Amino acid sequence: MITLDSCQKYFHKGSVNEVFALNDINLQIEEGDFITVIGSNGAGKSTLLNCIAGCFFPDTGKITVNNRDVTRWPEYKRAKYISRVFQDPLLGTCPSATIEQNLALAIKRGKKRGLGRGVKAKDRELFKSRLKHLGLGLEERLLDKVGLLSGGQRQALTMLMATMIRPEVLLLDEHIAALDPKTANQILMLTRDIVKEQGLTSMMITHNMKHAIGFGNRLIMFHQGRIIFDVRDQEKAALTVEDLVQKFYKSQGEELAMDSMLLA
Amino acid sequence: MTLYAAIGAVEQGLVYGIMVIGVYLTFRILDFPDLTVDGSLPLGAAISAVAITSGYNPYLSLVFAAMGGFLAGVVTAVLNTKFKILHLLASILTMIALYSINIRIMSGPNIALLGVDTVFDAVTALGVPAYYSGLIVFGLFAVCTVLLIVWFLSTELGQAMLATGDNPQMVTSLGVNTHTIIILGVGISNGLVALSGALVAQNQGAADVGMGIGTIVAGLASVIIGETVFGSKSIARAFTAALLGSIVYRLAIALALGLEIGGFSFNPSDLNLITAILVISALIAPNLKNRLMQR
């Protein structure tokens, strides 16, 4: 279970560019939650994920993973419990390394790396069976450099790498936004399957209202650094796109007409 | 070029090749342009010379030299990672500091190594002619260095190092502390450079505080020539190419210096100009080749 306890974060504090990115965030991510996160650009969704991942420390507040205080843990240390998939398919893999080398890096997430062989023969079978799951034929291309793969293939591989070792939470930051619609859909289905299979706790940022409603058991809506809406289970299952837009209007008033148009 | 000059050039290529392997590690693998080498090469020479004249075994002196170089690299990398100083600037700072440190170590600007045991004596003792001993010793060291570094980069730690240069964001998210990796990598690189400097000093019979000037330029020239001529498809190939590039570089310099066209010939002081021209040719050659192929 992951908790955020009154987390606040300013960027460029004290300058004219000051941004109040996270405004007193209290959030409990329960074991097995699949949370979809929505909100307009600059609302604080990515900041929240980066804050959980440890890209920066909150100005105030506390973050715990399984009751362990990780507020001051740097990103690489939190990686033991938290894995991520980025929006840019190029960010999740290493282009000059082969597919098996990338997977071998992932299988050591959060573990000591020593002078043993980087790619072990006994792991190859595991890599192959996992890759076969993707249905992209990558299991035959273990020795191909990842730089040769398409964006969709790389993102599929990143999904695999992020879940090679079971994370406490999987953070997906608009991970299908940079892909063409067909590939995006494939990666989305893959995400759903992996999350379901492993019973993963996960958070997925999306701009697609249908995805936000159709996936996961819980939905949170961000606005101006605050969580303005948090529903789960039955209540979430009953949501419609119109409800969400309505919700947005209600809590924020007329000034947000532009934002709600963006969201719809 | 006489055979004697050619042997000399290959010898130089091999011993400085160890330095080039270090430069390849920082410059290409870690994407960390490191000028510390201009200081860590004479540092290795100085440490080795002082150790030998103090009565230590010449082979043991190489270990001290490599450790000294490693520490110099660590300083540069710590300045860069922990204190956020730009890598180029951090390495220049270490480099100029080393100039003073090297003079302190030697208690003067140079130390002669005449009439003392060096690593070559063990080889000549086996009955090898003196003019081949350099080739054999340097060749062994250079080949072992390539093998070791290629092996290292295939380990879990080495793979993390490769990935750190390639995609630091990704390795961080896989739980790798990129700072530690960079510190280790720059340390190893400078350890190799210092080892190279120690061997050079033992070969030429002196350590001199000025012997490091231009190390980085020679290193980069060799790296680029090696990549252009021999390719860099795999890690093993890339490091072998770096070593061979070093030999080609020294041969080319020897050729150029021996050149006589009518009444014109190059002076040793023209070395820098020749190096610049060599690097430029190596850099534009692939481009030129592509253009000619298209026609």
Side-chain angles (χ1 to χ4, degrees):
Chain A
M1 189 178 73
I2 290 141
T3 62
L4 281 87
D5 194 4
S6 15
C7 286
Q8 295 205 353
K9 180 71 189 176
Y10 282 94
F11 288 121
H12 315 293
K13 194 167 186 175
S15 77
V16 285
N17 298 323
E18 183 177 293
V19 182
F20 197 8
L22 293 179
N23 180 355
D24 197 30
I25 299 292
N26 289 290
L27 183 67
Q28 282 209 5
I29 306 167
E30 310 286 347
E31 181 81 44
D33 267 358
F34 182 174
I35 306 177
T36 54
V37 186
I38 55 173
S40 51
N41 290 323
K45 310 177 298 291
S46 290
T47 310
L48 175 74
L49 258 57
N50 288 338
C51 184
I52 295 174
C55 300
F56 53 78
F57 301 143
D59 297 333
T60 58
K62 193 172 136 186
I63 304 169
T64 65
V65 176
N66 291 345
N67 298 321
R68 201 182 280 104
D69 187 345
V70 299
T71 316
R72 295 277 141 189
W73 283 25
E75 190 181 354
Y76 75 87
K77 208 169 157 193
R78 285 192 212 179
K80 187 171 181 182
Y81 304 109
I82 296 168
S83 67
R84 316 176 66 187
V85 180
F86 305 98
Q87 177 175 2
D88 182 351
L90 305 185
L91 275 183
T93 47
C94 200
S96 69
T98 62
I99 293 179
E100 64 173 19
Q101 283 170 336
N102 270 279
L103 288 166
L105 282 168
I107 209 168
K108 295 294 260 181
R109 181 165 56 78
K111 295 190 182 133
K112 271 248 175 300
R113 290 164 206 266
L115 295 178
R117 282 196 77 81
V119 184
K120 294 175 189 65
K122 68 175 171 66
D123 291 334
R124 278 207 185 95
E125 287 313 305
L126 174 68
F127 296 164
K128 276 191 180 165
S129 74
R130 289 289 184 95
L131 284 167
K132 211 167 208 163
H133 243 64
L134 299 180
L136 297 170
L138 295 182
E139 64 275 11
E140 304 299 330
R141 301 175 61 185
L142 280 183
L143 294 175
D144 275 7
K145 293 214 164 137
V146 166
L148 299 170
L149 306 183
S150 70
Q153 288 171 325
R154 283 181 77 162
Q155 203 65 331
L157 185 62
T158 310
M159 278 302 300
L160 211 61
M161 288 169 62
T163 53
M164 205 79 199
I165 303 286
R166 189 177 188 279
E168 290 296 324
V169 65
L170 171 65
L171 304 176
L172 307 163
D173 190 351
E174 287 187 61
H175 69 309
I176 59 168
L179 306 171
D180 67 73
K182 186 167 163 256
T183 316
N185 204 44
Q186 283 172 349
I187 299 293
L188 194 63
M189 292 308 137
L190 176 70
T191 308
R192 190 187 59 189
D193 292 348
I194 291 179
V195 167
K196 200 171 167 190
E197 244 167 60
Q198 303 194 21
L200 292 176
T201 309
S202 43
M203 290 181 91
M204 178 172 87
I205 297 182
T206 178
H207 278 295
N208 185 317
M209 293 294 114
K210 286 199 189 94
H211 294 163
I213 290 171
F215 290 83
N217 66 324
R218 185 174 171 190
L219 179 148
I220 59 181
M221 187 189 280
F222 255 83
H223 186 68
Q224 292 179 345
R226 286 185 301 118
I227 297 175
I228 57 168
F229 186 45
D230 182 352
V231 284
R232 57 184 304 137
D233 304 327
Q234 265 90 41
E235 203 184 333
K236 172 177 183 283
L239 277 179
T240 63
V241 173
E242 287 72 34
D243 288 342
L244 280 182
V245 175
Q246 279 294 315
K247 196 82 200 165
F248 215 85
Y249 266 115
K250 232 185 222 167
S251 53
Q252 296 308 318
E254 297 287 317
E255 47 144 350
L256 289 168
M258 279 307 291
D259 282 339
S260 57
M261 279 159 69
L262 272 175
L263 278 164
Chain B
M1 189 164 51
T2 61
L3 179 67
Y4 187 73
I7 290 179
V10 173
E11 208 173 68
Q12 297 268 298
L14 287 168
V15 67
Y16 283 107
I18 301 169
M19 172 273 289
V20 174
I21 291 160
V23 169
Y24 195 93
L25 186 65
T26 44
F27 188 62
R28 282 289 190 243
I29 303 292
L30 283 174
D31 202 10
F32 188 113
D34 178 26
L35 306 190
T36 317
V37 294
D38 273 31
S40 52
L41 187 108
L43 173 69
I47 292 175
S48 175
V50 169
I52 290 176
T53 50
S54 315
Y56 284 99
N57 178 295
Y59 285 95
L60 190 61
S61 81
L62 296 179
V63 177
F64 294 153
M67 289 195 308
F70 183 86
L71 284 181
V74 167
V75 170
T76 297
V78 167
L79 288 177
N80 169 246
T81 55
K82 303 296 180 197
F83 300 104
K84 309 280 170 237
I85 300 175
L86 180 72
H87 40 35
L88 273 174
L89 182 57
S91 66
I92 289 172
L93 290 170
T94 314
M95 180 187 84
I96 60 154
L98 280 172
Y99 185 83
S100 305
I101 292 170
N102 290 338
I103 292 177
R104 276 280 173 192
I105 290 174
M106 296 189 285
S107 312
N110 50 49
I111 288 185
L113 284 173
L114 301 171
V116 292
D117 265 2
T118 66
V119 289
F120 305 101
D121 293 314
V123 181
T124 42
L126 296 172
V128 177
Y131 51 90
Y132 281 132
S133 64
L135 271 186
I136 291 170
V137 172
F138 294 155
L140 274 175
F141 271 99
V143 169
C144 289
T145 306
V146 170
L147 291 175
L148 268 174
I149 215 88
V150 170
W151 164 77
F152 172 70
L153 289 173
S154 78
T155 63
E156 293 161 4
L157 197 60
Q159 294 271 299
M161 190 173 284
L162 284 171
T164 299
D166 218 14
N167 190 344
Q169 168 82 73
M170 165 217 167
V171 280
T172 306
S173 74
L174 291 177
V176 174
N177 184 350
T178 51
H179 288 182
T180 311
I181 297 281
I182 290 169
I183 292 168
L184 181 69
V186 179
I188 292 175
S189 164
N190 281 283
L192 292 176
V193 174
L195 173 66
S196 163
L199 287 169
V200 170
Q202 294 193 26
N203 187 38
Q204 68 186 24
D208 186 284
V209 72
M211 69 193 276
I213 296 170
T215 302
I216 187 63
V217 179
L220 292 181
S222 306
V223 164
I224 290 162
I225 291 170
E227 278 179 341
T228 308
V229 179
F230 305 103
S232 56
K233 272 235 164 73
S234 67
I235 292 297
R237 176 136 173 207
F239 277 96
T240 312
L243 179 59
L244 294 177
S246 172
I247 296 172
V248 171
Y249 169 70
R250 299 289 162 179
L251 280 171
I253 297 267
L255 264 177
L257 288 179
L259 203 65
E260 269 182 61
I261 309 163
F264 175 83
S265 67
F266 285 111
N267 286 328
S269 61
D270 295 326
L271 193 72
N272 285 0
L273 176 66
I274 299 169
T275 302
I277 293 170
L278 269 176
V279 174
I280 293 169
S281 339
L283 281 174
I284 61 176
N287 252 327
L288 223 57
K289 200 168 104 188
N290 282 346
R291 263 195 224 175
L292 289 174
M293 298 274 263
Q294 275 169 12
R295 272 182 203 168

